Amino acid sequence: MRNIRMLLQYEGTRYQGWQRQTSSGNTIQGKLEALLGKMCNEPIEISASGRTDAGVHACGQVVNFHTNSQMPVDEILSYCNRYLPEDIAVIEVSEAAPRFHSRLNACGKCYCYRIINSKIPNVFWRRYALEIPEALDLAAMRKAAELLLGEHDFKSFTSAKKGKKSTVRRIDEISIKEEGDLLTFTFVGNGFLHHMIRILMGTLLEVGMGQRMPESMTDVLNACDREKAGPLVPAKGLTLMEVYY
Amino acid sequence: MRNIRMLLQYEGTRYQGWQRQTSSGNTIQGKLEALLGKMCNEPIEISASGRTDAGVHACGQVVNFHTNSQMPVDEILSYCNRYLPEDIAVIEVSEAAPRFHSRLNACGKCYCYRIINSKIPNVFWRRYALEIPEALDLAAMRKAAELLLGEHDFKSFTSAKKGKKSTVRRIDEISIKEEGDLLTFTFVGNGFLHHMIRILMGTLLEVGMGQRMPESMTDVLNACDREKAGPLVPAKGLTLMEVYY
């Protein structure tokens, strides 16, 4: 059996996230599996590097699936792009090693969270960025972000239910790029918990608005208590940029 | 009576262009006039720097209207953005001189036409850029563009019906910026005829694909014949960036 690896791009706006649902949910995995099943003439199960939540976008989601189909990779690519809805695109298709697994082999990820920092709406970014009218103290946000770097227990920054799974992760980079009104927050790390970036952003925004001291980040980390962190910000500003292997 | 000037941003995808229609067309002018009429409690007629066609976007459309309303400009701005659909935004509102007219006083305009030059679709640019899978010879396109600079009769490059109006215009700049797959063509001139930029782009693309020599631009200009120019490219790649006064 072949193991096919694909690089995907999607706009999450219309979808209930990546993961297929037992009921009739409109999901990206569901769309792709239905199409690939037809193409390969056999049931297809796709693994992704990670689930993205409803409304979250992807520039570089990595997935893989096993198939008996002999269709060449470039034909798979053009077949998919011919039949997929216009908010999902396949960017690359390649043969993967038999044991390659898009989730288990991922060693890191890069996400961007975008903000339009203006009192004025921006029609072109409205689906991809959160609008924040209040002035933000970026220096304070950068100071707070620095305290999050390295390996920590990020239990305070996840909506995941209590479980046996480790909530320790390593963040290698949190950077803020300003281009006019557009702020791009880039997060690079070895993995992110459920809702982690959106809660980190909610907490950083409280710092930016002067509602919380940058130094308080260390207390939030140490508390291991979701209540101590800031709010979950909307999904639409979040984009999975790249998965590292 | 006050003369109010506004700077507008809109995504043209959903609209039948700028200009209000007698029938029940979904137009940007129609939406705005209805809202401003309600706000000012009197019928409002808006002038724009120029009509944009169905599907064309604007980052910096300039409009003006006369009103007896005493509402301060910043309240007009926030009122509009509260009630306008999310694909139209008011960026600035100011008091204009009594004789200011957004169309008659405009002395130049800047438009961008965007292309995703790739065999692979781009979900994030799909509403704002035309996808061209074929390789493009940008050097040839730049050579052709140069021949269009200056004052010329652009009769070959318009869909406008024969009439008494002059088809002479001056183009000051045509530049091509490459950012990965994204090509941005910037057109600056003292004014553009109906469909002019989209037919210029269609003709430049023929040059880029090797279907036409760069030097042929001069013949097309001289012919004053729409048949000699290339095709009209789709509206979605076109954005009105700025109007000069």
PDB file of all heavy atoms in Angstrom, chain A residues 176-212:
ATOM      1  N   ILE A 176       6.240  39.460  17.063  1.00  0.00           N
ATOM      2  CA  ILE A 176       5.157  40.355  16.645  1.00  0.00           C
ATOM      3  C   ILE A 176       5.668  41.210  15.509  1.00  0.00           C
ATOM      4  O   ILE A 176       6.658  41.920  15.652  1.00  0.00           O
ATOM      5  CB  ILE A 176       4.692  41.276  17.798  1.00  0.00           C
ATOM      6  CG1 ILE A 176       4.469  40.460  19.081  1.00  0.00           C
ATOM      7  CG2 ILE A 176       3.445  42.053  17.404  1.00  0.00           C
ATOM      8  CD1 ILE A 176       4.081  41.309  20.296  1.00  0.00           C
ATOM      9  N   LYS A 177       4.991  41.121  14.359  1.00  0.00           N
ATOM     10  CA  LYS A 177       5.378  41.945  13.208  1.00  0.00           C
ATOM     11  C   LYS A 177       4.291  42.985  12.969  1.00  0.00           C
ATOM     12  O   LYS A 177       3.108  42.666  12.968  1.00  0.00           O
ATOM     13  CB  LYS A 177       5.533  41.061  11.960  1.00  0.00           C
ATOM     14  CG  LYS A 177       6.225  41.761  10.799  1.00  0.00           C
ATOM     15  CD  LYS A 177       6.567  40.814   9.659  1.00  0.00           C
ATOM     16  CE  LYS A 177       5.329  40.372   8.900  1.00  0.00           C
ATOM     17  NZ  LYS A 177       5.640  39.601   7.676  1.00  0.00           N
ATOM     18  N   GLU A 178       4.696  44.244  12.794  1.00  0.00           N
ATOM     19  CA  GLU A 178       3.746  45.320  12.509  1.00  0.00           C
ATOM     20  C   GLU A 178       3.849  45.736  11.051  1.00  0.00           C
ATOM     21  O   GLU A 178       4.933  46.090  10.577  1.00  0.00           O
ATOM     22  CB  GLU A 178       4.114  46.574  13.313  1.00  0.00           C
ATOM     23  CG  GLU A 178       3.949  46.487  14.793  1.00  0.00           C
ATOM     24  CD  GLU A 178       4.343  47.825  15.424  1.00  0.00           C
ATOM     25  OE1 GLU A 178       3.578  48.803  15.310  1.00  0.00           O
ATOM     26  OE2 GLU A 178       5.447  47.869  16.000  1.00  0.00           O
ATOM     27  N   GLU A 179       2.712  45.733  10.355  1.00  0.00           N
ATOM     28  CA  GLU A 179       2.667  46.293   8.994  1.00  0.00           C
ATOM     29  C   GLU A 179       1.434  47.173   8.938  1.00  0.00           C
ATOM     30  O   GLU A 179       0.343  46.676   8.650  1.00  0.00           O
ATOM     31  CB  GLU A 179       2.536  45.189   7.953  1.00  0.00           C
ATOM     32  CG  GLU A 179       3.715  44.236   7.877  1.00  0.00           C
ATOM     33  CD  GLU A 179       3.340  42.934   7.165  1.00  0.00           C
ATOM     34  OE1 GLU A 179       2.684  42.080   7.804  1.00  0.00           O
ATOM     35  OE2 GLU A 179       3.691  42.766   5.998  1.00  0.00           O
ATOM     36  N   GLY A 180       1.616  48.469   9.200  1.00  0.00           N
ATOM     37  CA  GLY A 180       0.452  49.357   9.283  1.00  0.00           C
ATOM     38  C   GLY A 180      -0.422  48.901  10.443  1.00  0.00           C
ATOM     39  O   GLY A 180       0.072  48.662  11.553  1.00  0.00           O
ATOM     40  N   ASP A 181      -1.719  48.717  10.172  1.00  0.00           N
ATOM     41  CA  ASP A 181      -2.670  48.283  11.193  1.00  0.00           C
ATOM     42  C   ASP A 181      -2.590  46.788  11.482  1.00  0.00           C
ATOM     43  O   ASP A 181      -3.188  46.304  12.439  1.00  0.00           O
ATOM     44  CB  ASP A 181      -4.110  48.526  10.705  1.00  0.00           C
ATOM     45  CG  ASP A 181      -4.441  49.997  10.634  1.00  0.00           C
ATOM     46  OD1 ASP A 181      -3.707  50.790  11.256  1.00  0.00           O
ATOM     47  OD2 ASP A 181      -5.424  50.344   9.964  1.00  0.00           O
ATOM     48  N   LEU A 182      -1.906  46.066  10.609  1.00  0.00           N
ATOM     49  CA  LEU A 182      -1.891  44.599  10.714  1.00  0.00           C
ATOM     50  C   LEU A 182      -0.774  44.132  11.632  1.00  0.00           C
ATOM     51  O   LEU A 182       0.396  44.418  11.401  1.00  0.00           O
ATOM     52  CB  LEU A 182      -1.713  43.993   9.321  1.00  0.00           C
ATOM     53  CG  LEU A 182      -1.592  42.461   9.261  1.00  0.00           C
ATOM     54  CD1 LEU A 182      -2.901  41.796   9.668  1.00  0.00           C
ATOM     55  CD2 LEU A 182      -1.161  42.010   7.878  1.00  0.00           C
ATOM     56  N   LEU A 183      -1.158  43.417  12.687  1.00  0.00           N
ATOM     57  CA  LEU A 183      -0.176  42.815  13.596  1.00  0.00           C
ATOM     58  C   LEU A 183      -0.189  41.309  13.388  1.00  0.00           C
ATOM     59  O   LEU A 183      -1.255  40.688  13.444  1.00  0.00           O
ATOM     60  CB  LEU A 183      -0.535  43.109  15.050  1.00  0.00           C
ATOM     61  CG  LEU A 183      -0.678  44.580  15.439  1.00  0.00           C
ATOM     62  CD1 LEU A 183      -1.090  44.688  16.910  1.00  0.00           C
ATOM     63  CD2 LEU A 183       0.638  45.317  15.209  1.00  0.00           C
ATOM     64  N   THR A 184       0.987  40.736  13.145  1.00  0.00           N
ATOM     65  CA  THR A 184       1.070  39.281  12.987  1.00  0.00           C
ATOM     66  C   THR A 184       1.882  38.700  14.133  1.00  0.00           C
ATOM     67  O   THR A 184       3.057  39.020  14.292  1.00  0.00           O
ATOM     68  CB  THR A 184       1.704  38.918  11.635  1.00  0.00           C
ATOM     69  OG1 THR A 184       0.947  39.532  10.593  1.00  0.00           O
ATOM     70  CG2 THR A 184       1.709  37.407  11.439  1.00  0.00           C
ATOM     71  N   PHE A 185       1.238  37.872  14.934  1.00  0.00           N
ATOM     72  CA  PHE A 185       1.899  37.176  16.040  1.00  0.00           C
ATOM     73  C   PHE A 185       2.266  35.786  15.542  1.00  0.00           C
ATOM     74  O   PHE A 185       1.387  35.022  15.134  1.00  0.00           O
ATOM     75  CB  PHE A 185       0.949  37.048  17.239  1.00  0.00           C
ATOM     76  CG  PHE A 185       0.653  38.367  17.908  1.00  0.00           C
ATOM     77  CD1 PHE A 185      -0.181  39.295  17.310  1.00  0.00           C
ATOM     78  CD2 PHE A 185       1.224  38.677  19.139  1.00  0.00           C
ATOM     79  CE1 PHE A 185      -0.440  40.519  17.918  1.00  0.00           C
ATOM     80  CE2 PHE A 185       0.962  39.897  19.762  1.00  0.00           C
ATOM     81  CZ  PHE A 185       0.128  40.811  19.146  1.00  0.00           C
ATOM     82  N   THR A 186       3.553  35.464  15.571  1.00  0.00           N
ATOM     83  CA  THR A 186       4.007  34.148  15.107  1.00  0.00           C
ATOM     84  C   THR A 186       4.422  33.303  16.301  1.00  0.00           C
ATOM     85  O   THR A 186       5.218  33.741  17.136  1.00  0.00           O
ATOM     86  CB  THR A 186       5.176  34.321  14.118  1.00  0.00           C
ATOM     87  OG1 THR A 186       4.719  35.101  13.013  1.00  0.00           O
ATOM     88  CG2 THR A 186       5.660  32.959  13.605  1.00  0.00           C
ATOM     89  N   PHE A 187       3.869  32.106  16.377  1.00  0.00           N
ATOM     90  CA  PHE A 187       4.158  31.162  17.459  1.00  0.00           C
ATOM     91  C   PHE A 187       4.826  29.928  16.867  1.00  0.00           C
ATOM     92  O   PHE A 187       4.250  29.284  15.994  1.00  0.00           O
ATOM     93  CB  PHE A 187       2.874  30.700  18.161  1.00  0.00           C
ATOM     94  CG  PHE A 187       2.130  31.796  18.888  1.00  0.00           C
ATOM     95  CD1 PHE A 187       1.311  32.679  18.206  1.00  0.00           C
ATOM     96  CD2 PHE A 187       2.253  31.931  20.273  1.00  0.00           C
ATOM     97  CE1 PHE A 187       0.623  33.687  18.883  1.00  0.00           C
ATOM     98  CE2 PHE A 187       1.564  32.942  20.959  1.00  0.00           C
ATOM     99  CZ  PHE A 187       0.750  33.816  20.258  1.00  0.00           C
ATOM    100  N   VAL A 188       6.020  29.606  17.355  1.00  0.00           N
ATOM    101  CA  VAL A 188       6.696  28.382  16.924  1.00  0.00           C
ATOM    102  C   VAL A 188       6.966  27.548  18.172  1.00  0.00           C
ATOM    103  O   VAL A 188       7.451  28.079  19.180  1.00  0.00           O
ATOM    104  CB  VAL A 188       8.013  28.691  16.195  1.00  0.00           C
ATOM    105  CG1 VAL A 188       8.730  27.397  15.798  1.00  0.00           C
ATOM    106  CG2 VAL A 188       7.764  29.555  14.959  1.00  0.00           C
ATOM    107  N   GLY A 189       6.654  26.267  18.113  1.00  0.00           N
ATOM    108  CA  GLY A 189       6.892  25.415  19.271  1.00  0.00           C
ATOM    109  C   GLY A 189       6.849  23.955  18.884  1.00  0.00           C
ATOM    110  O   GLY A 189       6.560  23.620  17.729  1.00  0.00           O
ATOM    111  N   ASN A 190       7.124  23.090  19.846  1.00  0.00           N
ATOM    112  CA  ASN A 190       7.144  21.657  19.520  1.00  0.00           C
ATOM    113  C   ASN A 190       5.742  21.053  19.489  1.00  0.00           C
ATOM    114  O   ASN A 190       5.560  19.915  19.058  1.00  0.00           O
ATOM    115  CB  ASN A 190       8.076  20.875  20.468  1.00  0.00           C
ATOM    116  CG  ASN A 190       7.573  20.876  21.908  1.00  0.00           C
ATOM    117  OD1 ASN A 190       6.647  21.620  22.251  1.00  0.00           O
ATOM    118  ND2 ASN A 190       8.186  20.062  22.740  1.00  0.00           N
ATOM    119  N   GLY A 191       4.758  21.829  19.889  1.00  0.00           N
ATOM    120  CA  GLY A 191       3.384  21.359  19.834  1.00  0.00           C
ATOM    121  C   GLY A 191       2.527  22.307  20.649  1.00  0.00           C
ATOM    122  O   GLY A 191       3.037  23.031  21.515  1.00  0.00           O
ATOM    123  N   PHE A 192       1.243  22.335  20.366  1.00  0.00           N
ATOM    124  CA  PHE A 192       0.357  23.264  21.071  1.00  0.00           C
ATOM    125  C   PHE A 192      -0.878  22.504  21.541  1.00  0.00           C
ATOM    126  O   PHE A 192      -1.437  21.694  20.800  1.00  0.00           O
ATOM    127  CB  PHE A 192      -0.023  24.425  20.150  1.00  0.00           C
ATOM    128  CG  PHE A 192       1.159  25.297  19.776  1.00  0.00           C
ATOM    129  CD1 PHE A 192       1.876  25.074  18.605  1.00  0.00           C
ATOM    130  CD2 PHE A 192       1.579  26.319  20.621  1.00  0.00           C
ATOM    131  CE1 PHE A 192       2.977  25.864  18.277  1.00  0.00           C
ATOM    132  CE2 PHE A 192       2.677  27.118  20.302  1.00  0.00           C
ATOM    133  CZ  PHE A 192       3.375  26.887  19.124  1.00  0.00           C
ATOM    134  N   LEU A 193      -1.300  22.772  22.758  1.00  0.00           N
ATOM    135  CA  LEU A 193      -2.479  22.123  23.328  1.00  0.00           C
ATOM    136  C   LEU A 193      -3.746  22.695  22.707  1.00  0.00           C
ATOM    137  O   LEU A 193      -3.719  23.739  22.042  1.00  0.00           O
ATOM    138  CB  LEU A 193      -2.510  22.352  24.856  1.00  0.00           C
ATOM    139  CG  LEU A 193      -1.251  21.925  25.604  1.00  0.00           C
ATOM    140  CD1 LEU A 193      -1.261  22.509  27.021  1.00  0.00           C
ATOM    141  CD2 LEU A 193      -1.168  20.399  25.650  1.00  0.00           C
ATOM    142  N   HIS A 194      -4.869  22.035  22.973  1.00  0.00           N
ATOM    143  CA  HIS A 194      -6.152  22.503  22.456  1.00  0.00           C
ATOM    144  C   HIS A 194      -6.437  23.934  22.944  1.00  0.00           C
ATOM    145  O   HIS A 194      -6.388  24.203  24.136  1.00  0.00           O
ATOM    146  CB  HIS A 194      -7.274  21.557  22.910  1.00  0.00           C
ATOM    147  CG  HIS A 194      -8.606  21.866  22.276  1.00  0.00           C
ATOM    148  ND1 HIS A 194      -9.786  21.896  22.970  1.00  0.00           N
ATOM    149  CD2 HIS A 194      -8.909  22.200  20.991  1.00  0.00           C
ATOM    150  CE1 HIS A 194     -10.766  22.214  22.140  1.00  0.00           C
ATOM    151  NE2 HIS A 194     -10.270  22.407  20.937  1.00  0.00           N
ATOM    152  N   HIS A 195      -6.672  24.839  21.994  1.00  0.00           N
ATOM    153  CA  HIS A 195      -6.965  26.256  22.273  1.00  0.00           C
ATOM    154  C   HIS A 195      -5.767  27.043  22.819  1.00  0.00           C
ATOM    155  O   HIS A 195      -5.924  28.227  23.176  1.00  0.00           O
ATOM    156  CB  HIS A 195      -8.132  26.412  23.267  1.00  0.00           C
ATOM    157  CG  HIS A 195      -9.469  26.135  22.646  1.00  0.00           C
ATOM    158  ND1 HIS A 195     -10.609  25.965  23.392  1.00  0.00           N
ATOM    159  CD2 HIS A 195      -9.853  25.995  21.352  1.00  0.00           C
ATOM    160  CE1 HIS A 195     -11.633  25.726  22.595  1.00  0.00           C
ATOM    161  NE2 HIS A 195     -11.192  25.732  21.350  1.00  0.00           N
ATOM    162  N   MET A 196      -4.587  26.429  22.889  1.00  0.00           N
ATOM    163  CA  MET A 196      -3.449  27.069  23.567  1.00  0.00           C
ATOM    164  C   MET A 196      -3.077  28.426  22.965  1.00  0.00           C
ATOM    165  O   MET A 196      -2.909  29.408  23.705  1.00  0.00           O
ATOM    166  CB  MET A 196      -2.241  26.121  23.543  1.00  0.00           C
ATOM    167  CG  MET A 196      -0.988  26.670  24.180  1.00  0.00           C
ATOM    168  SD  MET A 196       0.208  25.312  24.417  1.00  0.00           S
ATOM    169  CE  MET A 196       1.756  26.199  24.349  1.00  0.00           C
ATOM    170  N   ILE A 197      -2.975  28.503  21.645  1.00  0.00           N
ATOM    171  CA  ILE A 197      -2.547  29.780  21.064  1.00  0.00           C
ATOM    172  C   ILE A 197      -3.608  30.852  21.257  1.00  0.00           C
ATOM    173  O   ILE A 197      -3.301  32.008  21.556  1.00  0.00           O
ATOM    174  CB  ILE A 197      -2.192  29.600  19.578  1.00  0.00           C
ATOM    175  CG1 ILE A 197      -0.952  28.702  19.495  1.00  0.00           C
ATOM    176  CG2 ILE A 197      -1.931  30.949  18.900  1.00  0.00           C
ATOM    177  CD1 ILE A 197      -0.536  28.355  18.114  1.00  0.00           C
ATOM    178  N   ARG A 198      -4.879  30.454  21.154  1.00  0.00           N
ATOM    179  CA  ARG A 198      -5.945  31.443  21.296  1.00  0.00           C
ATOM    180  C   ARG A 198      -6.062  31.938  22.743  1.00  0.00           C
ATOM    181  O   ARG A 198      -6.455  33.090  22.985  1.00  0.00           O
ATOM    182  CB  ARG A 198      -7.271  30.882  20.795  1.00  0.00           C
ATOM    183  CG  ARG A 198      -7.264  30.717  19.255  1.00  0.00           C
ATOM    184  CD  ARG A 198      -8.349  29.792  18.759  1.00  0.00           C
ATOM    185  NE  ARG A 198      -9.671  30.296  19.090  1.00  0.00           N
ATOM    186  CZ  ARG A 198     -10.784  29.556  18.981  1.00  0.00           C
ATOM    187  NH1 ARG A 198     -10.720  28.296  18.581  1.00  0.00           N
ATOM    188  NH2 ARG A 198     -11.948  30.087  19.280  1.00  0.00           N
ATOM    189  N   ILE A 199      -5.713  31.097  23.715  1.00  0.00           N
ATOM    190  CA  ILE A 199      -5.733  31.568  25.112  1.00  0.00           C
ATOM    191  C   ILE A 199      -4.458  32.375  25.410  1.00  0.00           C
ATOM    192  O   ILE A 199      -4.507  33.398  26.107  1.00  0.00           O
ATOM    193  CB  ILE A 199      -5.904  30.386  26.099  1.00  0.00           C
ATOM    194  CG1 ILE A 199      -7.240  29.664  25.831  1.00  0.00           C
ATOM    195  CG2 ILE A 199      -5.866  30.884  27.560  1.00  0.00           C
ATOM    196  CD1 ILE A 199      -7.406  28.347  26.578  1.00  0.00           C
ATOM    197  N   LEU A 200      -3.333  31.953  24.842  1.00  0.00           N
ATOM    198  CA  LEU A 200      -2.107  32.763  24.968  1.00  0.00           C
ATOM    199  C   LEU A 200      -2.354  34.155  24.404  1.00  0.00           C
ATOM    200  O   LEU A 200      -2.011  35.171  25.026  1.00  0.00           O
ATOM    201  CB  LEU A 200      -0.948  32.107  24.200  1.00  0.00           C
ATOM    202  CG  LEU A 200      -0.308  30.859  24.817  1.00  0.00           C
ATOM    203  CD1 LEU A 200       0.656  30.216  23.821  1.00  0.00           C
ATOM    204  CD2 LEU A 200       0.430  31.193  26.118  1.00  0.00           C
ATOM    205  N   MET A 201      -2.990  34.222  23.224  1.00  0.00           N
ATOM    206  CA  MET A 201      -3.284  35.517  22.601  1.00  0.00           C
ATOM    207  C   MET A 201      -4.218  36.342  23.472  1.00  0.00           C
ATOM    208  O   MET A 201      -4.026  37.549  23.641  1.00  0.00           O
ATOM    209  CB  MET A 201      -3.932  35.319  21.222  1.00  0.00           C
ATOM    210  CG  MET A 201      -2.992  35.167  20.060  1.00  0.00           C
ATOM    211  SD  MET A 201      -1.760  36.488  19.866  1.00  0.00           S
ATOM    212  CE  MET A 201      -2.784  37.949  19.853  1.00  0.00           C
ATOM    213  N   GLY A 202      -5.235  35.724  24.015  1.00  0.00           N
ATOM    214  CA  GLY A 202      -6.184  36.434  24.882  1.00  0.00           C
ATOM    215  C   GLY A 202      -5.483  37.022  26.102  1.00  0.00           C
ATOM    216  O   GLY A 202      -5.806  38.125  26.549  1.00  0.00           O
ATOM    217  N   THR A 203      -4.494  36.276  26.608  1.00  0.00           N
ATOM    218  CA  THR A 203      -3.758  36.737  27.781  1.00  0.00           C
ATOM    219  C   THR A 203      -2.780  37.849  27.388  1.00  0.00           C
ATOM    220  O   THR A 203      -2.662  38.869  28.077  1.00  0.00           O
ATOM    221  CB  THR A 203      -3.021  35.546  28.429  1.00  0.00           C
ATOM    222  OG1 THR A 203      -3.901  34.422  28.464  1.00  0.00           O
ATOM    223  CG2 THR A 203      -2.582  35.874  29.850  1.00  0.00           C
ATOM    224  N   LEU A 204      -2.103  37.663  26.256  1.00  0.00           N
ATOM    225  CA  LEU A 204      -1.190  38.711  25.769  1.00  0.00           C
ATOM    226  C   LEU A 204      -1.955  40.003  25.469  1.00  0.00           C
ATOM    227  O   LEU A 204      -1.458  41.107  25.718  1.00  0.00           O
ATOM    228  CB  LEU A 204      -0.448  38.234  24.514  1.00  0.00           C
ATOM    229  CG  LEU A 204       0.612  37.151  24.730  1.00  0.00           C
ATOM    230  CD1 LEU A 204       1.149  36.635  23.385  1.00  0.00           C
ATOM    231  CD2 LEU A 204       1.768  37.688  25.587  1.00  0.00           C
ATOM    232  N   LEU A 205      -3.171  39.870  24.947  1.00  0.00           N
ATOM    233  CA  LEU A 205      -3.959  41.069  24.653  1.00  0.00           C
ATOM    234  C   LEU A 205      -4.330  41.813  25.928  1.00  0.00           C
ATOM    235  O   LEU A 205      -4.357  43.048  25.950  1.00  0.00           O
ATOM    236  CB  LEU A 205      -5.213  40.708  23.844  1.00  0.00           C
ATOM    237  CG  LEU A 205      -4.935  40.450  22.354  1.00  0.00           C
ATOM    238  CD1 LEU A 205      -6.176  39.867  21.667  1.00  0.00           C
ATOM    239  CD2 LEU A 205      -4.502  41.738  21.649  1.00  0.00           C
ATOM    240  N   GLU A 206      -4.587  41.085  27.007  1.00  0.00           N
ATOM    241  CA  GLU A 206      -4.848  41.756  28.287  1.00  0.00           C
ATOM    242  C   GLU A 206      -3.626  42.568  28.724  1.00  0.00           C
ATOM    243  O   GLU A 206      -3.751  43.669  29.246  1.00  0.00           O
ATOM    244  CB  GLU A 206      -5.216  40.722  29.361  1.00  0.00           C
ATOM    245  CG  GLU A 206      -6.614  40.143  29.167  1.00  0.00           C
ATOM    246  CD  GLU A 206      -7.018  39.190  30.291  1.00  0.00           C
ATOM    247  OE1 GLU A 206      -6.121  38.670  31.001  1.00  0.00           O
ATOM    248  OE2 GLU A 206      -8.220  38.961  30.453  1.00  0.00           O
ATOM    249  N   VAL A 207      -2.443  42.013  28.486  1.00  0.00           N
ATOM    250  CA  VAL A 207      -1.211  42.755  28.772  1.00  0.00           C
ATOM    251  C   VAL A 207      -1.147  43.992  27.887  1.00  0.00           C
ATOM    252  O   VAL A 207      -0.881  45.108  28.351  1.00  0.00           O
ATOM    253  CB  VAL A 207       0.033  41.860  28.541  1.00  0.00           C
ATOM    254  CG1 VAL A 207       1.314  42.684  28.649  1.00  0.00           C
ATOM    255  CG2 VAL A 207       0.055  40.690  29.525  1.00  0.00           C
ATOM    256  N   GLY A 208      -1.422  43.809  26.607  1.00  0.00           N
ATOM    257  CA  GLY A 208      -1.348  44.918  25.649  1.00  0.00           C
ATOM    258  C   GLY A 208      -2.308  46.043  25.976  1.00  0.00           C
ATOM    259  O   GLY A 208      -2.050  47.208  25.681  1.00  0.00           O
ATOM    260  N   MET A 209      -3.432  45.697  26.616  1.00  0.00           N
ATOM    261  CA  MET A 209      -4.426  46.715  26.961  1.00  0.00           C
ATOM    262  C   MET A 209      -4.219  47.251  28.373  1.00  0.00           C
ATOM    263  O   MET A 209      -5.056  48.014  28.878  1.00  0.00           O
ATOM    264  CB  MET A 209      -5.836  46.125  26.832  1.00  0.00           C
ATOM    265  CG  MET A 209      -6.200  45.778  25.394  1.00  0.00           C
ATOM    266  SD  MET A 209      -7.880  45.097  25.336  1.00  0.00           S
ATOM    267  CE  MET A 209      -7.867  44.234  23.767  1.00  0.00           C
ATOM    268  N   GLY A 210      -3.155  46.824  29.026  1.00  0.00           N
ATOM    269  CA  GLY A 210      -2.845  47.344  30.356  1.00  0.00           C
ATOM    270  C   GLY A 210      -3.688  46.743  31.460  1.00  0.00           C
ATOM    271  O   GLY A 210      -3.726  47.256  32.584  1.00  0.00           O
ATOM    272  N   GLN A 211      -4.390  45.650  31.177  1.00  0.00           N
ATOM    273  CA  GLN A 211      -5.243  45.023  32.192  1.00  0.00           C
ATOM    274  C   GLN A 211      -4.474  44.003  33.023  1.00  0.00           C
ATOM    275  O   GLN A 211      -5.029  43.382  33.934  1.00  0.00           O
ATOM    276  CB  GLN A 211      -6.427  44.315  31.510  1.00  0.00           C
ATOM    277  CG  GLN A 211      -7.324  45.267  30.746  1.00  0.00           C
ATOM    278  CD  GLN A 211      -8.233  44.535  29.776  1.00  0.00           C
ATOM    279  OE1 GLN A 211      -8.243  43.313  29.734  1.00  0.00           O
ATOM    280  NE2 GLN A 211      -8.980  45.291  28.982  1.00  0.00           N
ATOM    281  N   ARG A 212      -3.208  43.776  32.653  1.00  0.00           N
ATOM    282  CA  ARG A 212      -2.428  42.729  33.305  1.00  0.00           C
ATOM    283  C   ARG A 212      -0.959  43.087  33.105  1.00  0.00           C
ATOM    284  O   ARG A 212      -0.582  43.603  32.052  1.00  0.00           O
ATOM    285  CB  ARG A 212      -2.765  41.406  32.599  1.00  0.00           C
ATOM    286  CG  ARG A 212      -1.988  40.221  33.024  1.00  0.00           C
ATOM    287  CD  ARG A 212      -2.205  39.092  32.048  1.00  0.00           C
ATOM    288  NE  ARG A 212      -3.516  38.458  32.112  1.00  0.00           N
ATOM    289  CZ  ARG A 212      -3.851  37.502  32.968  1.00  0.00           C
ATOM    290  NH1 ARG A 212      -2.975  37.071  33.845  1.00  0.00           N
ATOM    291  NH2 ARG A 212      -5.049  36.960  32.939  1.00  0.00           N
TER     292      ARG A 212
END
